Amino acid sequence: MRLMRIAPAVLAIAGSIVLGGSPFAQGVGQDLGPRVKKLAEGVYVHTGKGFDSNSGIILTDEGVIVVDTGQNAIESRAIMETVKKLTTMPVKFVIDTEPHNDHTTGHFVFPGAIVVAAAGAGDSMRAAQAAAPNRIETLAATSPEMKAAVAGYKFVPPHIEYRDKTTITLGGRTLELMYMKGVHSEADTAVWLPQERVVFSASAFVVDQVNILRPFVTIPDILAAGKMMKALNPQHVVPGHGTPSTTKIFDDGEKYYALLTQRVDALMKQGKSLDDIKKDLKMPEYASWGSQDRMPTNVEAAYRALGGRI
Ligand SMILES: [Zn+2]
């Protein structure tokens, strides 16, 4: 009976040896935990807790590419641990889908990596740094774990900023970086892997959450970005925040903005002021979405899209 029990284990080992022939299969057999999902051979997403930011881990024959460095330094270190479970190769590139702190604070956890972002990302990071010079000390005081995670912090703005489009080719992988205007931050990037059909769609659309629409963000720009990314025909869509899925993310976003715009339009036609529209507008279909406090910024964007002056 004892011998019979060994048999499945032997089969499992034989199976992993066969899989080991693949160039990006260093991680086979490693327990990556419930928050790491494999999207394609050597392409992983390290999902954030709740609405925390997602990160991509892309293995290549010449090193690793990380897309966004996590919600905070604790997450950045967890991402680095995952990288180490997958490969002994170094992280060569970090790509920022946006410059905000919840994607970029952890750059310092990946020393030696070249940080690539859309033009304007460095200025955005420097402005945030100047506006809150004690941010890291404040963070360190929040918990012993955070204090340990931010130890050795260094401000690392992008080494390379591109305009419009650029391509990174590394160890058999091709990544197309596409700037998206006016969708979330001053410098949003979609990262497209054409061979693997995976797109990291930044925070143009978030899942099950009301997005924050800053004054320079426009609904037509968001919809255009969704259309552009849908036209790529991706198999996997990894949003900046929220559960990765498919182009359904863009379809759901389109429906939401169509309904929002329609309702704001109806209230404008009743002669209501922007303040009254903010009070009167109801979106009960989306009551379960997180961050409802951001709804006024969505109303403002719809009002501007409809020609209203603010
Ligand atoms: Zn952001």
Side-chain angles (χ1 to χ4, degrees):
M1 283 310 283
R2 281 195 137 222
L3 279 172
M4 289 300 283
R5 267 195 221 154
I6 292 165
V10 172
L11 282 175
I13 291 164
S16 70
I17 290 166
V18 172
L19 288 167
S22 160
F24 308 119
Q26 295 97 324
V28 170
Q30 286 273 18
D31 180 15
L32 301 171
R35 290 205 284 129
V36 180
K37 287 182 193 135
K38 184 175 174 178
L39 303 178
E41 204 53 53
V43 180
Y44 299 84
V45 55
H46 191 284
T47 55
K49 290 178 195 155
F51 291 126
D52 284 0
S53 64
N54 295 319
S55 295
I57 298 171
I58 300 154
L59 308 183
T60 88
D61 287 341
E62 292 177 59
V64 182
I65 302 173
V66 169
V67 179
D68 287 340
T69 53
Q71 180 76 18
N72 53 49
I74 294 173
E75 285 291 289
S76 309
R77 293 187 188 276
I79 293 160
M80 192 56 181
E81 283 311 305
T82 301
V83 169
K84 284 182 185 160
K85 283 181 190 170
L86 291 168
T87 180
T88 52
M89 291 216 236
V91 177
K92 289 273 183 80
F93 288 99
V94 162
I95 301 169
D96 293 336
T97 67
E98 61 162 280
H100 293 156
N101 290 335
D102 56 338
H103 298 249
T104 61
T105 299
H107 285 171
F108 76 101
V109 174
F110 305 87
I114 302 291
V115 180
V116 185
D123 283 348
S124 170
M125 284 181 68
R126 280 182 284 273
Q129 173 84 350
N134 301 319
R135 188 173 69 88
I136 298 302
E137 286 89 326
T138 310
L139 271 175
T142 57
S143 72
E145 295 98 305
M146 188 62 85
K147 191 179 177 186
V150 297
Y153 173 80
K154 221 179 121 209
F155 176 66
V156 184
H159 301 100
I160 297 177
E161 296 188 30
Y162 75 94
R163 282 183 199 281
D164 194 30
K165 274 180 183 180
T166 196
T167 302
I168 295 178
T169 310
L170 187 75
R173 303 272 189 198
T174 300
L175 284 78
E176 294 174 10
L177 279 57
M178 290 166 267
Y179 168 66
M180 296 184 287
K181 174 178 88 71
V183 300
H184 174 74
S185 73
E186 299 85 347
D188 297 300
T189 292
V191 182
W192 169 231
L193 281 76
Q195 290 152 23
E196 299 79 3
R197 312 211 70 75
V198 175
V199 69
F200 293 87
S201 59
S203 299
F205 296 84
V206 291
V207 179
D208 296 332
Q209 187 185 24
V210 179
N211 210 345
I212 183 160
L213 305 187
R214 296 177 175 80
F216 56 82
V217 169
T218 82
I219 292 172
D221 281 338
I222 293 171
L223 297 176
K227 221 174 155 187
M228 180 275 286
M229 289 189 280
K230 237 162 88 170
L232 299 170
N233 193 22
Q235 213 173 343
H236 298 282
V237 176
V238 183
H241 299 260
T243 308
S245 76
T246 62
T247 52
K248 185 179 181 295
I249 291 174
F250 308 133
D251 295 335
D252 289 349
E254 267 174 40
K255 271 184 219 148
Y256 165 77
Y257 287 116
L259 190 62
L260 171 77
T261 306
Q262 186 193 319
R263 293 208 176 136
V264 171
D265 187 43
L267 293 167
M268 283 172 82
K269 284 186 175 137
Q270 289 172 27
K272 298 211 180 219
S273 70
L274 176 59
D275 280 347
D276 283 343
I277 297 171
K278 283 182 190 170
K279 276 184 223 133
D280 295 352
L281 181 113
K282 297 278 179 288
M283 295 286 278
E285 300 85 349
Y286 298 94
S288 66
W289 280 17
S291 307
Q292 291 286 330
D293 56 315
R294 295 167 169 180
M295 194 55 91
T297 72
N298 285 226
V299 173
E300 277 175 25
Y303 188 82
R304 278 186 277 114
L306 290 160
R309 294 237 178 126
I310 294 178

